[in-house]
Amino acid sequence: MIIADLNDVGRIHGGRTIFRGLSWSLQDGERIGLIGPSGAGKSTLLRLLAGLDKPDAGAATFRRGAAVASFPQEYAGEPERAVIDELLSIREDIAALERALSAAEARMADPAVLADANAYDALVIEHGELLDQFEEAGGGTLRNRAEGLLRSLGLEEEAWLRPMRALSGGQRKIVGIARCLLSDPDLLLLDEPDNHLDLRRKAMLERVIREFEGCVVVVSHDRYLHDETVGLIVELEHSRETGLRLRRWNGNYSSYAAQKELALLRQRQDYCGQQKEIARLEAAIVRFKVWASVVVDERHIKQARKSSARSTVWRRSSGRSWNAAGCRSISGRRCAAAQAWSISVRSRRGSGLRRCCQLRARRL
């Protein structure tokens, strides 16, 4: 089932078009590694999926009721807030229920309410309804889940009551990731979550991502993280038509690298075949045009024009395909054979016509 869909979206920042015409559908349960050159727009794309930014063109739609959690490259939190309170603050709905319960309990101790039986009965019913909502939202187990996430990600217990400003960069990363997971998202977006983490905590992060039941998108420059956590690679690559495009590759990063290499080899083989065909057509052009200058035959002239048109088409298609592989295009250049023909025909046109007249005279 589709959880999020981007349809022909575009994003412009500071007068520069980052991308346009991008389409992407994310399915529930997918584990996706988003890769591409630095500065290509991966973080911008994640912000669109998180709903933090609106596309300048196209539309971003989400499944009704879907919850999205996004983790940025750098996370600081509230500097003076304790670590455990920073985690619990992600569930504002539960915090609001706790405040309502506290207010209801304070009113139950009010002598005026105790003296009014009807008011007290109504308050008891309200308190019971709030308790039911609190339990359904998971408020009774929220703190235990928060502590369990901190343990699974390797944050020591003595750091749970420290303020966020006292933590290192790696520890703040752990708190931010745990905060995202505590919100029970259907779509989890992680932008370079392994930065500042040591090997032990990276292994814990890999396990947490593998155990996540929803759809997850991971941006990372660590190929081993992609190998251990994702089953689909989405590459943000350059395109001549739209600037950037998304290309899907099934498998982890190692599988992507092998498939990409094979695709480039096939593209180079196609280019070499096109160059051979271009050379054959241009040689035929030279022959037909020389024959047309020596023997006045309309058939040779038509054949030369047809071959010239085919050669032009091959040159253009060859230039486009080779550019896609990152190599130099030769479309638009005149080949050496055509240049040699233009020189030789001009120099031999007069002698060719004289030989033609001599042949005709002998026949007569």
Side-chain angles (χ1 to χ4, degrees), residues 26-42:
L26 283 77
Q27 304 288 334
D28 194 16
E30 285 185 329
R31 305 184 185 282
I32 304 168
L34 180 61
I35 64 174
S38 297
K42 299 185 295 295

Side-chain angles (χ1 to χ4, degrees), residues 53 69 79 135 222 262 356:
D53 292 338
E135 292 298 329
D222 185 359
L262 289 175
C356 179

